[in-house]
């Protein structure tokens, strides 16, 4: 694939836009505390699959878009998503070799660290959650990783994204 022209990049950006929409889609109140980190999941997949096309700049841009959609402090989600993608890029070669259950465990730690940074930023702005609810999105996201991976891998192979 060296020297070949990138193909079907629209699928990457369409899926990331879908992740942004999923991140603000209404959910029942009892499920709200475990809202998956959709943008982080989709960015993680595309960073592992095509690191030459999706990276920290993409994470920053989609983080800013998430901040605008969620009405949070501008740059807060951008910082957290950039941290996630930095860690994923640092572990890129190892993550690709791990079986799916180990990938999920590593991503649980990565997303958990990102949620801790998010909690710290919320505390600085005066919006701190009083309980350990901030851990649930990382746990739900790690449990969803095998399905997100399978769906996006199927789409990547079907449309020949590289």
């Amino acid at each position: 694939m060296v020297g070949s022209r990138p193909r079907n990049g629209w699928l990457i950006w369409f899926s990331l836009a879908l992740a942004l929409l999923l991140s603000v889609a209404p959910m029942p109140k009892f499920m709200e505390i475990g809202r998956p980190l959709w943008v982080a999941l989709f960015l993680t997949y595309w960073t592992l699959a095509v690191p030459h096309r999706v990276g920290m700049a993409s994470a920053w841009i989609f983080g800013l878009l998430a901040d605008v959609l969620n009405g949070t402090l501008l740059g807060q989600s951008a910082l957290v998503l950039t941290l996630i993608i930095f860690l994923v890029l640092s572990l890129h070669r190892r993550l690709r070799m791990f079986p799916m259950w180990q990938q999920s465990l590593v991503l649980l730690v990565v997303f958990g660290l990102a949620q801790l940074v998010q909690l710290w930023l919320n505390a600085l702005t005066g919006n701190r959650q009083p309980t350990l609810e901030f851990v649930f999105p990382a746990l739900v996201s790690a449990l969803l990783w095998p399905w997100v991976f399978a769906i996006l891998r199927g789409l990547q192979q079907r449309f020949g994204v590289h």
Side-chain angles (χ1 to χ4, degrees):
M1 281 201 243
V2 175
S4 65
R5 197 164 84 68
R7 294 181 42 210
N8 293 331
W10 63 268
L11 181 64
I12 296 170
W13 309 117
F14 177 78
S15 68
L16 290 172
L18 177 65
L20 278 172
L21 291 176
L22 286 172
S23 70
V24 295
M27 292 179 73
K29 192 69 172 167
F30 71 94
M31 292 175 61
E32 193 64 41
I33 62 169
R35 179 181 289 276
L37 306 170
W38 291 113
V39 179
L41 281 168
F42 282 51
L43 275 169
T44 299
Y45 174 79
W46 289 117
T47 301
L48 288 174
V50 283
H52 57 282
R53 296 185 70 183
V54 177
M56 290 173 49
S58 303
W60 184 261
I61 291 166
F62 278 92
L64 289 176
L65 292 172
D67 286 330
V68 170
L69 278 175
N70 293 323
T72 57
L73 183 65
L74 192 63
Q76 185 173 342
S77 297
L79 177 66
V80 171
L81 285 173
T82 304
L83 171 68
I84 290 171
I85 297 308
F86 172 76
L87 292 171
V88 168
L89 283 170
S90 298
L91 300 167
H92 180 263
R93 291 185 189 263
R94 283 184 228 146
L95 269 174
R96 287 182 58 112
M97 291 189 319
F98 286 164
M100 191 58 62
W101 68 271
Q102 273 184 321
Q103 284 182 10
S104 293
L105 285 177
V106 169
L107 290 178
L108 173 63
V109 172
V110 169
F111 294 154
L113 285 172
Q115 288 298 100
L116 280 173
V117 170
Q118 186 85 30
L119 179 70
W120 177 66
L121 291 171
N122 283 338
L124 287 177
T125 60
N127 299 325
R128 185 168 184 262
Q129 295 174 342
T131 64
L132 290 174
E133 291 176 358
F134 72 93
V135 176
F136 291 141
L139 180 62
V140 171
S141 298
L143 291 173
L144 284 175
W145 172 248
W147 286 278
V148 169
F149 183 90
I151 291 168
L152 291 177
R153 173 60 55 109
L155 288 172
Q156 179 189 6
Q157 290 175 345
R158 178 181 171 106
F159 290 99
V161 177
H162 62 271

